[in-house]
Amino acid sequence: MKRLIHYPKMSFAPTHIRIVAHFSIALVFACASARAADSPLALKGGEKVAFLGDSITANGWNQPGGYVRLVAAGLKANGVEITPLPAGVSGNSSKDMLARLSRDVLEKKPDWVTISCGVNDVWHGDRGVALEDYKRNMTSLVDQAQAADIGVMILTATPIMEEPENAFNAKLTDYTAFLRKLAAEKHCLLADPNADALAVFSATPKPRRILTVDGVHPNPHGAELIAASVLEAFGLDDSQLSKARAAWAQIPQVWDVTVTYRGSSGAKVLSLTQALSRSEYESIEKSLTERDRPVSVPEFLQDAFRKNVDEYIKPRGSYESVDAIFDATANLEIIKKVKSNLSSQITDLLRKAPPPSDPAH
């Protein structure tokens, strides 16, 4: 007998999002719950959830602050522990996902599958998937999953290049409209990060790299937006989403800030990456923006890195130039010392900085 899946009544209105802007964007989610506070969640602890998708989903598992990991962490913060089954493959379109559905999802017998698909179908142009073929592929993905007694959540595709009016997003509109229609017709849960992202862009003048690192793949803010959309679709209310966000803020190594120092030729580069939790990043950001001459976190770290390297170059140090550091094969030792100095500066900033504001308020 097929397992009965009770789908909560869904609202397709976009999640309300407030934006607080300094030199980088701190997103604050004030999510309107799509269910009554005492309604049960759509899933329960111990269930297996497959996350089918492209590189956005692959990174969602491979990165500490990816949206798949955030979904699992957000549920755990509310006493619901799931077993994630990552099934994201870079470059995949609906055609590719359909070809591997049995191997990567059905054979693993999950209780739920989330399907995130559409960016590559549109973005890849002639190598993508036409709308009518996309409709058939997505319908087949849903039908096969439901026939296997798997609960389905459909995610709308996130905007491409963070430019709502570009040709990609004009084309994507029909794809996302179909997904909303498909979710309603097939009684699937719907997470709508597309609508949520567009709400962010509409509230921000000339949005550029607010939610992504390259126009497509989410930065930590974008990952949180997608994860919040998924959790809300699973039925988390405002209070539960607040617990999830508090847990996300403590995940280490979510924000990666890379700083560089180029030699005279530009070919030789000293660089290091400083990894911070969201809580650390926002605390430092708040401290820096309250200075007489505010700077962003990347600007601060870049300036501190350059000053630290300068200590090893004449007249302060013994090396003629950054090129000489490379020639002396001392760059690794210097990077180690510079990173230690930067860590000390960050620790000092964190000690002095006020805590970031509670994202729930």
Side-chain angles (χ1 to χ4, degrees):
M1 179 179 294
K2 286 178 64 65
R3 178 171 61 90
L4 294 178
I5 303 171
H6 299 283
Y7 297 90
K9 185 177 181 180
M10 295 302 299
S11 167
F12 294 158
T15 301
H16 176 62
I17 300 173
R18 292 185 291 115
I19 302 175
V20 178
H22 295 302
F23 286 87
S24 63
I25 300 298
L27 293 180
V28 182
F29 298 97
C31 299
S33 178
R35 67 182 183 91
D38 58 351
S39 298
L41 300 182
L43 78 175
K44 58 182 182 292
E47 291 190 322
K48 295 188 293 184
V49 181
F51 293 85
L52 181 65
D54 49 30
S55 57
I56 293 173
T57 301
N59 292 343
W61 177 254
N62 294 332
Q63 297 174 348
Y67 88 86
V68 175
R69 291 192 179 273
L70 294 183
V71 168
L75 289 169
K76 184 176 181 179
N78 286 281
V80 180
E81 292 201 44
I82 63 168
T83 299
L85 301 175
V89 174
S90 180
N92 264 201
S93 66
S94 59
K95 178 180 65 176
D96 303 311
M97 293 182 208
L98 188 59
R100 63 184 179 85
L101 177 69
S102 179
R103 181 192 69 223
D104 290 353
V105 177
L106 303 183
E107 291 178 8
K108 296 181 180 179
K109 301 185 183 303
D111 299 282
W112 288 91
V113 61
T114 70
I115 305 175
S116 175
C117 180
V119 170
N120 292 329
D121 296 74
V122 171
W123 188 31
H124 287 179
D126 292 340
R127 295 182 294 108
V129 176
L131 179 59
E132 292 307 313
D133 292 331
Y134 177 78
K135 290 179 179 180
R136 284 190 288 270
N137 293 342
M138 293 301 296
T139 301
S140 182
L141 286 170
V142 171
D143 286 346
Q144 289 187 57
Q146 290 185 334
D149 198 23
I150 299 169
V152 177
M153 179 188 294
I154 295 174
L155 278 67
T156 56
T158 48
I160 300 169
M161 306 314 294
E162 300 202 30
E163 297 168 353
E165 306 303 324
N166 70 20
F168 289 126
N169 290 313
K171 183 177 180 180
L172 188 64
T173 298
D174 290 335
Y175 288 66
T176 54
F178 168 73
L179 293 179
R180 297 182 185 109
K181 180 173 180 286
L182 180 65
E185 290 177 349
K186 298 290 185 178
H187 304 288
C188 300
L189 299 186
L190 176 73
D192 203 346
N194 179 277
D196 293 342
L198 290 177
V200 171
F201 301 151
S202 68
T204 310
K206 297 181 179 179
R208 295 289 294 179
R209 303 297 183 264
I210 297 172
L211 300 175
T212 70
V213 296
D214 57 4
V216 173
H217 300 94
N219 65 18
H221 290 319
E224 288 192 12
L225 180 143
I226 297 172
S229 296
V230 171
L231 291 178
E232 185 181 1
F234 271 134
L236 270 68
D237 61 24
D238 287 349
S239 174
Q240 292 166 319
L241 287 168
S242 180
K243 288 181 181 178
R245 290 190 294 271
W248 296 343
Q250 303 309 316
I251 298 174
Q253 299 183 342
V254 168
W255 274 104
D256 286 344
V257 181
T258 299
V259 290
T260 60
Y261 194 128
R262 292 188 177 275
S264 57
S265 66
K268 297 176 179 179
V269 182
L270 288 175
S271 67
L272 66 82
T273 298
Q274 186 70 40
L276 303 166
S277 71
R278 178 167 65 82
S279 179
E280 290 172 330
Y281 188 97
E282 291 180 359
S283 291
I284 294 171
E285 181 179 58
K286 185 173 178 62
S287 177
L288 294 174
T289 55
E290 290 177 350
R291 292 183 170 189
D292 291 337
R293 297 182 62 185
V295 294
S296 68
V297 177
E299 287 171 334
F300 166 78
L301 292 178
Q302 179 64 58
D303 184 61
F305 180 62
R306 175 170 287 279
K307 288 178 179 177
N308 276 307
V309 174
D310 282 343
E311 292 296 320
Y312 295 92
I313 299 173
K314 290 182 178 179
R316 297 184 187 130
S318 57
Y319 294 96
E320 292 290 340
S321 66
V322 69
D323 299 293
I325 294 175
F326 276 94
D327 294 340
T329 65
N331 56 320
L332 292 179
E333 183 63 26
I334 288 178
I335 283 289
K336 184 177 179 180
K337 292 178 181 177
V338 169
K339 187 165 187 176
S340 177
N341 290 340
L342 271 182
S343 294
S344 296
Q345 289 175 281
I346 288 171
T347 299
D348 187 56
L349 273 175
L350 288 171
R351 186 167 54 248
K352 296 176 181 177
S357 58
D358 183 348
H361 300 290

